Every structure is written in C-alpha cells, then in structure tokens.
Amino acid sequence: MKPTHFEILPLQSDEDLVQVRQKLRARMVELGFTLVEQTKMVTAASELGRNALLYGGGGTARLESVEDSNRLGLRMTIEDQGAGIADIEQAMTDGYTSGSGLGLGLGGSKRLVKDFELWSEPGLGTRVTIALWK
Amino acid sequence: MTANKINRLTEIFTRHEKIMLEDWLREQLTALSARQDLISEPDLCRQSAEFLALFTPACRSGSLTDINSPEWKPVLDFLASVSRSRAIQGFSPSETATFVFSLKQTLLAHLRKELGQDAVALADEMWTATVLLDKLGLYTTEVFQKSREEIIKRQQMEMLELSTPVVKLWEGILAVPLIGTLDSSRTQVVMENLLQSIVDTGSRIAIVDITGVPIVDTLIAQNLLKTVAAARLMGAQCIICGIRPQIAQTMVHLGVAFGDVVTKATLADALAYAFRQIDCTVIQQAPRV
Ligand SMILES: Nc1ncnc2c1ncn2[C@@H]1O[C@H](COP(=O)(O)OP(=O)(O)OP(=O)(O)O)[C@@H](O)[C@H]1O
Ligand SMILES: [Mg+2]
C-alpha cells in the first residue's frame, strides 16, 4: 500500500474542522465514492476532528489517497499532542464521555469505517487513522 | 557609519523623488498589468506618491533596521490601509506585496547609478535597502492575511444570519429550513431565531427541515435535540424532517437517534402531520367540470 498524494490540514478551530470536512468530501467525490460512503467517512472525520479540538487542544488532519495492487482508497489521520487517552477501552465504550458529549464519537466512527486504528499515549497525544477503500 | 547610510538612502529619495516615483509606478504597472480592473492608474499614482512622502522622512529620522520604532509608525499605518483595501478589492497576497517589493528594483537601480564605483558602499547600501524593504513587504503581507481572515469570518457570520430564516407556513405552524453545517455558533442562532418566532407568532408547531444539512454527527444531533427541548419548554412541538437516506444510515451506525421527536421524511409529510395536530383539515375539492 503506497500513498500517492497527501495534504496536511490544520485543526485548531471550528472553521478548520469545516475545511477538513469539505476537503475530504471533495476528494471522495473525485475518487467516485458513493454518497453513503462519503457521508460515513466525513461524519467519522468530523467526530475525530472534534475530539482532537476538544480533548487534544487541536492538531492536524492528514488526508491522503492510497493504492495497493488492486484498489484505491482514501485515508485520514487525525493527530494531536494533547493529554492522550489513559483507558482506551473505556473511551471506546458507547456512552462514556469525560465531557458533555454523548460518548458515541469513537465507537461510532469505528462502526462507520471498518479501517480504524487508534493510538494514544498519556502525555504524548492521540492519533486515529481511518480509511475507506473503493 | 549609520548616519552615513541614512544620508545616502534619504539623499537619493529626496533628490530623485519625482523620477523614482515614475520608475516605481512603471514597475508596478508592469507587475499588475493584468489587474487594471482592480485599481486605476491615478489611484495607484496617488498611493505611491503618498507612500514616498511618508517613507522619505521616516528614512531620515528613523532607524533603517528597526521598523518598529515610532518614526516608522505613519509608514506602517499607511501600508496597513493599502493592504486592507487591496484585500477587499480582491488582490492576491503577492500582488499586494508587489507594492513594496517593486520599489526595490527602482531603488537598487538608483543606488547603482550613484555608487557604481564604490563596490563596498554599494553592497552595504543595497543590503540595508533590501532588508528594510523586505521587512515592509512582509508587514504588508501579514496585514493582508489578517484582513482576508476578517473578511472570511464576517462573510461566515453573514451566511449564518442569512441561512437560518424562520418562516410561518400557516397560522400556528413555523418552518426552519436548515442549510449547511450546524456547528455550535450556528445552532445558537437557529435556536434563538426559532424561540423568538414561537413567541412572536404564538405557534404550536415548528418544523425543522434538515434536507440541506450534509452530515449529522454527535454534536449536531445533540444541538438539534437541545433546540427541540427548548421549543418544548415554550409550549411548541418540533418535527424534524428531511433526513436523507445516507444520513439516516450514518446515524444508525453512529448510534445517535432523535429520541421521542417526531420525524418525517419530507416537508410535505411534516406539514400534513402538523395540520392534523392543530385540527386543520385540508380538503381536495372535486374537480369542476
Ligand atoms: N483526542 C483525544 N484526546 C484525549 N482524550 C480523548 C480524545 N478523543 C477522545 N477522548 C476521550 O474519550 C472520550 C470518548 O470520546 P467520544 O468521542 O467517544 O465521546 P465524546 O467526545 O465524549 O462525546 P461525543 O463524541 O459523542 O460528542 C472523551 O470523552 C474523551 O475523554
Ligand atoms: Mg467525541
């Protein structure tokens, strides 16, 4: 699997998050993803991006097209250098929130895009990679 | 040494002000040849003359290395106003920076003419002039950037207001067609408009149409539910309609739901439901023959 094109977007404000969603949507349209696929991926990115803003003090979103021998995909990596997640299992549990959310963002994103990878280290930050393949 | 430098730059500007202005204008006009729709030649001429009238005294009395000293304040203020007006007129950042950077060519050409024989002095003066103009040019770009951001923010705010109208569909029935992203500041505006309209019109039903909302994530769902709850406290029932298939599917995976809020596929369905709620019957008349 090799990346063919990538772009790193800032994630420091609500406006940045709107940009990330729009750029992601535009790339997906270009690559011919269906409306359902677009909506799922953009919604997942919105959840993860907002987590990075709310709990990670802001970060970046890396958007890249990837391809392996027989398929094309789109990958987004959302990363922050915030407090990190001490108990990942708890954070992934539906309904758990340390703030005033619904506690559905992480679990929901994982259900929306099958390709979901979460790395987090207390004190270092959090990185979530999601991908969708055609 | 420093006094010497100040004298030379200032001297050149004072002695050749008129011809330098002409040369500089020519540079600018060439660089901006494609943008004559944005600024007229007389305007550009006036701006340039005004700049030189401030620049020369600043060179004379101020430090040539520190543009933050008070002597440079009038120059910076003037550049800021030029930058701001260019941001509004639709110039690109580089077209805006050209205003200052194009003065470099003119100045360096004159320095060469004056100091051609004295290579050391020439290198020295050129360096000072370049550093000074670079600083002023970067300052222009910074102000430009800030102005663009302010313009975008303001347009976004205007969009907010524009795209959240509350319309009265019928006596006692309101509709709020939502379009675009429902981030938090936006929802606040929607909620306030809706609650005020409920009071003003004494409506019992409010139809929230989300056909134009591209995604519903956990925050947006929560915001919608808060709006519904607030309307309920004011004695109005909300109906959410226009949940498109891809959004419905996504909400199911995400695990969010609209709870006990009545949802309808289309605005027409919602309106039909609302009529029943207020005991209003719509009758299809028999066709007249
Ligand atoms: N980037 C992050 N850095 C630190 N902690 C995080 C991060 N992302 C998530 N968490 C923690 O995991 C919890 C669960 O996250 P999740 O997105 O599932 O729910 P939420 O953000 O609280 O609410 P919702 O997303 O439903 O609005 C958060 O409350 C927070 O404590
Ligand atoms: Mg979340």
Side-chain angles (χ1 to χ4, degrees), chain A residues 47 50-51 55 105-106, chain B residues 218:
Chain A
E47 292 298 340
R50 188 165 300 104
N51 281 353
Y55 310 112
L106 284 177
Chain B
T218 56

Side-chain angles (χ1 to χ4, degrees), chain A residues 47 51-52 55 80 84-85 91 96-99 101-106 126, chain B residues 218:
Chain A
E47 292 298 340
N51 281 353
Y55 310 112
D80 65 65
I85 304 173
Y96 172 79
T97 177
S98 64
L102 297 171
L104 290 170
L106 284 177
T126 304
Chain B
T218 56

